[in-house]
Amino acid sequence: MRVLGIDPGLTRCGLGVVEGSVGRPLHLVDVNVLRTSSHLPVPERLVTIERGIDAWLDDYRPDAVAVERVFARSDVSTVMGTAQASGIAMVCAARRGLPIALHTPSEVKAAVSGNGRAQKAQVGAMVTRILRLDAAPKPADAADALALAITHIWRGGAQARIDAALAAARSPR
């Protein structure tokens, strides 16, 4: 399974592609961060994010897309930008008919580190270890995108098999 993990953000949108399956070593395909200038109008920034995500979907052809679920923070402007970037990511994937999974930050932290309250540095260290990298991906948005992809392979893949089995059991023969 090849998964594109997206850590949405209006200024920095982390993108990471991981390949593998449960019980097998996972492999980094690519990781990067899309950046937009805060001096540009929001619609232009969203178009930049859309084009960047579309390019990654075209280049890497993932089987699924995992996006960080937006949660409320104290700064409303940050939440709005994150939600807008998240919506763009989901639209790009949906346009291609790709399965989309939303994972909460605590779910991702728990999956990769065993601790739902892990710090950014711990997540980066575990991503480095899981993918057998020489150094932690920088900035943290890049490591977070990879953590999302890892979480989806480990958790989402199993959930997809359960859903498929339930659907098959419900369908008339």
Coordinates of all heavy atoms in Angstrom, one line a residue, residues 57-111:
L57 N -0.1 13.8 -6.2 CA -1.0 12.7 -6.5 C -0.7 12.1 -7.9 O -0.7 10.9 -8.1 CB -2.5 13.2 -6.4 CG -3.0 13.5 -5.0 CD1 -4.3 14.2 -5.0 CD2 -3.0 12.2 -4.1
D58 N -0.4 13.0 -8.8 CA 0.0 12.6 -10.2 C 1.3 11.8 -10.2 O 1.4 10.8 -10.8 CB 0.1 13.8 -11.1 CG -1.3 14.4 -11.5 OD1 -2.3 13.7 -11.3 OD2 -1.3 15.5 -11.9
D59 N 2.3 12.4 -9.5 CA 3.6 11.8 -9.5 C 3.7 10.5 -8.7 O 4.4 9.5 -9.2 CB 4.7 12.8 -8.9 CG 4.9 14.0 -9.8 OD1 4.5 14.0 -10.9 OD2 5.5 14.9 -9.3
Y60 N 3.1 10.3 -7.6 CA 3.2 9.2 -6.7 C 2.1 8.2 -6.7 O 2.2 7.1 -6.2 CB 3.6 9.7 -5.3 CG 4.8 10.4 -5.3 CD1 4.8 11.8 -5.1 CD2 6.1 9.8 -5.5 CE1 6.0 12.5 -5.1 CE2 7.2 10.5 -5.5 CZ 7.2 11.9 -5.3 OH 8.4 12.6 -5.3
R61 N 1.0 8.6 -7.2 CA -0.2 7.7 -7.4 C -0.4 6.8 -6.1 O -0.4 5.6 -6.2 CB 0.0 6.8 -8.6 CG 0.2 7.6 -9.9 CD -0.3 6.9 -11.1 NE -0.2 7.6 -12.3 CZ -1.0 8.6 -12.7 NH1 -2.0 9.0 -11.9 NH2 -0.8 9.3 -13.8
P62 N -0.8 7.5 -5.0 CA -1.0 6.7 -3.8 C -2.3 5.9 -3.9 O -3.2 6.2 -4.7 CB -1.1 7.8 -2.7 CG -1.6 9.0 -3.5 CD -1.0 8.9 -4.8
D63 N -2.4 4.9 -3.0 CA -3.6 4.1 -2.9 C -4.6 4.7 -2.0 O -5.8 4.4 -2.1 CB -3.2 2.7 -2.4 CG -2.3 1.9 -3.3 OD1 -2.5 1.8 -4.5 OD2 -1.2 1.5 -2.8
A64 N -4.1 5.6 -1.1 CA -5.0 6.2 -0.1 C -4.3 7.5 0.3 O -3.1 7.7 0.1 CB -5.2 5.3 1.1
V65 N -5.1 8.4 0.9 CA -4.6 9.7 1.4 C -5.0 9.8 2.9 O -6.2 9.6 3.2 CB -5.2 10.9 0.6 CG1 -4.7 12.2 1.2 CG2 -4.7 10.8 -0.9
A66 N -4.1 10.1 3.7 CA -4.3 10.3 5.1 C -4.1 11.8 5.5 O -3.0 12.3 5.2 CB -3.4 9.4 6.0
V67 N -5.1 12.4 6.0 CA -5.0 13.8 6.4 C -5.2 14.0 7.9 O -6.1 13.3 8.5 CB -6.1 14.6 5.6 CG1 -6.1 16.1 5.9 CG2 -6.0 14.4 4.1
E68 N -4.4 14.9 8.4 CA -4.6 15.2 9.9 C -6.0 15.9 10.1 O -6.3 16.8 9.4 CB -3.5 16.1 10.4 CG -3.7 16.4 11.9 CD -2.5 17.2 12.5 OE1 -1.5 16.6 12.8 OE2 -2.7 18.4 12.5
R69 N -6.8 15.3 11.0 CA -8.1 15.8 11.4 C -7.8 17.2 12.1 O -7.1 17.2 13.0 CB -8.8 14.9 12.3 CG -10.3 15.4 12.6 CD -11.0 14.4 13.5 NE -11.1 13.1 13.0 CZ -12.1 12.7 12.2 NH1 -13.1 13.5 11.9 NH2 -12.2 11.4 11.8
V70 N -8.5 18.2 11.6 CA -8.4 19.5 12.2 C -9.1 19.5 13.6 O -10.2 19.0 13.8 CB -9.0 20.6 11.3 CG1 -8.9 22.0 12.0 CG2 -8.4 20.6 10.0
F71 N -8.4 20.1 14.6 CA -9.0 20.2 15.9 C -8.9 21.7 16.4 O -8.0 22.4 15.9 CB -8.4 19.3 16.9 CG -6.9 19.5 17.2 CD1 -6.6 20.2 18.3 CD2 -6.0 19.1 16.3 CE1 -5.2 20.4 18.6 CE2 -4.6 19.3 16.6 CZ -4.3 20.0 17.7
A72 N -9.7 22.1 17.3 CA -9.7 23.5 17.7 C -8.5 23.8 18.6 O -8.2 23.1 19.5 CB -11.0 23.8 18.5
R73 N -7.9 24.9 18.2 CA -6.8 25.5 19.0 C -7.3 26.8 19.5 O -8.3 27.3 19.1 CB -5.6 25.6 18.2 CG -5.0 24.3 17.7 CD -3.7 24.5 16.9 NE -3.2 23.3 16.3 CZ -2.8 23.2 15.1 NH1 -2.8 24.3 14.3 NH2 -2.4 22.1 14.6
S74 N -6.4 27.5 20.2 CA -6.9 28.8 20.8 C -6.8 29.9 19.7 O -7.6 30.8 19.7 CB -5.9 29.2 21.9 OG -4.6 29.2 21.5
D75 N -6.0 29.7 18.7 CA -5.9 30.8 17.6 C -6.8 30.4 16.5 O -6.5 29.5 15.7 CB -4.4 30.8 17.2 CG -4.2 31.9 16.2 OD1 -5.1 32.6 15.8 OD2 -3.0 32.1 15.7
V76 N -7.9 31.1 16.4 CA -8.9 30.9 15.3 C -8.3 31.0 13.9 O -8.7 30.2 13.0 CB -10.1 31.8 15.5 CG1 -11.1 31.6 14.4 CG2 -10.8 31.5 16.8
S77 N -7.4 31.9 13.7 CA -6.9 32.1 12.3 C -6.1 30.9 11.9 O -6.1 30.5 10.8 CB -6.0 33.4 12.3 OG -4.9 33.3 13.1
T78 N -5.4 30.3 12.9 CA -4.6 29.1 12.6 C -5.6 27.9 12.2 O -5.3 27.2 11.3 CB -3.7 28.7 13.8 OG1 -2.9 29.8 14.1 CG2 -2.9 27.4 13.5
V79 N -6.6 27.8 13.0 CA -7.6 26.7 12.7 C -8.2 26.9 11.4 O -8.4 25.9 10.6 CB -8.7 26.7 13.8 CG1 -9.8 25.7 13.5 CG2 -8.1 26.3 15.2
M80 N -8.6 28.1 11.0 CA -9.2 28.4 9.7 C -8.3 28.0 8.6 O -8.7 27.3 7.6 CB -9.6 29.8 9.6 CG -10.8 30.2 10.5 SD -12.3 29.2 10.2 CE -12.6 29.7 8.5
G81 N -7.0 28.4 8.6 CA -6.1 28.1 7.6 C -5.9 26.6 7.5 O -5.8 26.1 6.3
T82 N -5.7 26.0 8.6 CA -5.5 24.5 8.6 C -6.8 23.8 8.0 O -6.6 22.9 7.2 CB -5.3 24.0 10.0 OG1 -4.1 24.7 10.5 CG2 -5.0 22.5 10.1
A83 N -7.9 24.2 8.4 CA -9.2 23.7 7.9 C -9.3 23.9 6.4 O -9.7 23.0 5.6 CB -10.4 24.2 8.6
Q84 N -9.0 25.1 5.9 CA -9.0 25.3 4.5 C -8.1 24.4 3.7 O -8.4 23.9 2.7 CB -8.7 26.8 4.2 CG -9.8 27.7 4.7 CD -9.4 29.2 4.8 OE1 -8.2 29.5 5.0 NE2 -10.4 30.1 4.6
A85 N -6.8 24.3 4.2 CA -5.8 23.5 3.5 C -6.3 22.0 3.6 O -6.1 21.2 2.6 CB -4.5 23.6 4.2
S86 N -6.9 21.6 4.7 CA -7.4 20.2 4.8 C -8.5 20.0 3.8 O -8.5 18.9 3.2 CB -7.9 20.0 6.2 OG -8.5 18.7 6.4
G87 N -9.4 20.9 3.6 CA -10.5 20.8 2.6 C -9.9 20.6 1.2 O -10.4 19.8 0.4
I88 N -8.9 21.4 0.9 CA -8.3 21.3 -0.4 C -7.7 19.9 -0.6 O -7.9 19.3 -1.7 CB -7.2 22.4 -0.6 CG1 -7.8 23.8 -0.6 CG2 -6.3 22.1 -1.8 CD1 -8.6 24.1 -1.8
A89 N -7.0 19.4 0.4 CA -6.4 18.1 0.3 C -7.5 17.0 0.1 O -7.3 16.1 -0.8 CB -5.6 17.8 1.6
M90 N -8.6 17.1 0.8 CA -9.7 16.1 0.6 C -10.3 16.2 -0.8 O -10.6 15.2 -1.4 CB -10.7 16.3 1.7 CG -10.2 15.8 3.1 SD -11.4 15.8 4.4 CE -11.5 17.5 4.8
V91 N -10.5 17.4 -1.3 CA -11.1 17.6 -2.6 C -10.1 17.0 -3.7 O -10.6 16.3 -4.6 CB -11.3 19.1 -2.9 CG1 -11.6 19.3 -4.4 CG2 -12.5 19.6 -2.1
C92 N -8.8 17.3 -3.6 CA -7.9 16.7 -4.5 C -7.9 15.2 -4.6 O -8.0 14.6 -5.7 CB -6.5 17.2 -4.2 SG -6.2 18.9 -4.5
A93 N -8.0 14.6 -3.4 CA -8.1 13.1 -3.3 C -9.4 12.6 -3.8 O -9.5 11.6 -4.6 CB -7.8 12.6 -1.9
A94 N -10.5 13.2 -3.4 CA -11.8 12.8 -3.8 C -12.0 12.9 -5.3 O -12.7 12.0 -5.9 CB -12.9 13.6 -3.0
R95 N -11.5 13.9 -5.9 CA -11.6 14.1 -7.3 C -11.0 12.9 -8.1 O -11.5 12.5 -9.2 CB -10.8 15.3 -7.8 CG -11.4 16.1 -8.9 CD -10.5 17.3 -9.3 NE -10.8 18.5 -8.5 CZ -9.8 19.3 -8.0 NH1 -8.6 19.0 -8.1 NH2 -10.2 20.4 -7.3
R96 N -10.1 12.2 -7.5 CA -9.5 11.0 -8.1 C -10.1 9.7 -7.6 O -9.6 8.6 -8.0 CB -8.0 11.0 -7.8 CG -7.2 12.1 -8.5 CD -5.8 12.2 -8.0 NE -4.9 13.0 -8.8 CZ -5.0 14.3 -8.9 NH1 -5.8 15.0 -8.2 NH2 -4.2 14.9 -9.7
G97 N -11.1 9.8 -6.7 CA -11.7 8.6 -6.2 C -10.9 7.9 -5.2 O -11.1 6.7 -5.0
L98 N -9.9 8.5 -4.6 CA -9.0 7.9 -3.6 C -9.7 7.8 -2.2 O -10.3 8.8 -1.8 CB -7.7 8.6 -3.5 CG -6.8 8.6 -4.7 CD1 -5.6 9.6 -4.6 CD2 -6.3 7.2 -5.0
P99 N -9.4 6.7 -1.5 CA -9.9 6.7 -0.1 C -9.2 7.8 0.7 O -8.0 7.9 0.5 CB -9.5 5.3 0.4 CG -9.1 4.5 -0.9 CD -8.8 5.5 -1.9
I100 N -10.0 8.4 1.6 CA -9.4 9.5 2.4 C -9.7 9.1 3.9 O -10.8 8.8 4.2 CB -10.1 10.8 2.1 CG1 -10.0 11.2 0.6 CG2 -9.6 11.9 3.0 CD1 -11.0 12.2 0.1
A101 N -8.6 9.2 4.7 CA -8.8 8.9 6.1 C -8.3 10.1 6.9 O -7.4 10.8 6.5 CB -7.9 7.7 6.5
L102 N -9.1 10.4 7.9 CA -8.7 11.5 8.8 C -8.2 10.9 10.1 O -8.9 10.1 10.7 CB -9.9 12.5 9.0 CG -10.5 13.1 7.8 CD1 -11.7 13.9 8.2 CD2 -9.5 14.0 7.1
H103 N -7.0 11.3 10.5 CA -6.5 10.8 11.8 C -6.2 12.0 12.7 O -5.6 13.0 12.3 CB -5.2 10.0 11.5 CG -5.4 8.8 10.7 ND1 -5.9 7.7 11.1 CD2 -5.1 8.6 9.4 CE1 -6.0 6.8 10.1 NE2 -5.4 7.3 9.1
T104 N -6.6 11.9 14.0 CA -6.3 12.9 14.9 C -4.8 13.0 15.3 O -4.1 12.0 15.2 CB -7.1 12.7 16.2 OG1 -6.7 11.6 16.9 CG2 -8.6 12.6 15.9
P105 N -4.4 14.1 15.7 CA -3.0 14.2 16.2 C -2.6 13.2 17.3 O -1.6 12.6 17.2 CB -2.8 15.7 16.7 CG -3.8 16.4 15.9 CD -5.0 15.5 15.7
S106 N -3.5 13.0 18.2 CA -3.2 12.1 19.3 C -3.2 10.6 18.8 O -2.4 9.8 19.3 CB -4.2 12.2 20.5 OG -5.5 12.0 20.1
E107 N -4.0 10.3 17.9 CA -4.0 9.0 17.3 C -2.7 8.7 16.5 O -2.1 7.6 16.7 CB -5.2 8.9 16.3 CG -5.3 7.5 15.5 CD -6.3 7.5 14.5 OE1 -7.1 8.5 14.3 OE2 -6.4 6.5 13.8
V108 N -2.2 9.7 15.8 CA -1.0 9.6 15.1 C 0.2 9.4 16.1 O 1.1 8.6 15.9 CB -0.8 10.8 14.1 CG1 0.6 10.8 13.5 CG2 -1.8 10.8 13.1
K109 N 0.2 10.3 17.1 CA 1.3 10.2 18.1 C 1.3 8.9 18.8 O 2.4 8.3 19.0 CB 1.1 11.3 19.1 CG 1.4 12.7 18.6 CD 1.0 13.8 19.6 CE 1.1 15.2 19.1 NZ 0.8 16.2 20.1
A110 N 0.1 8.3 19.1 CA 0.0 7.0 19.8 C 0.5 5.9 18.8 O 1.2 5.0 19.3 CB -1.4 6.8 20.2
A111 N 0.1 6.0 17.6 CA 0.5 5.0 16.6 C 2.0 4.9 16.4 O 2.6 3.8 16.4 CB -0.2 5.2 15.3

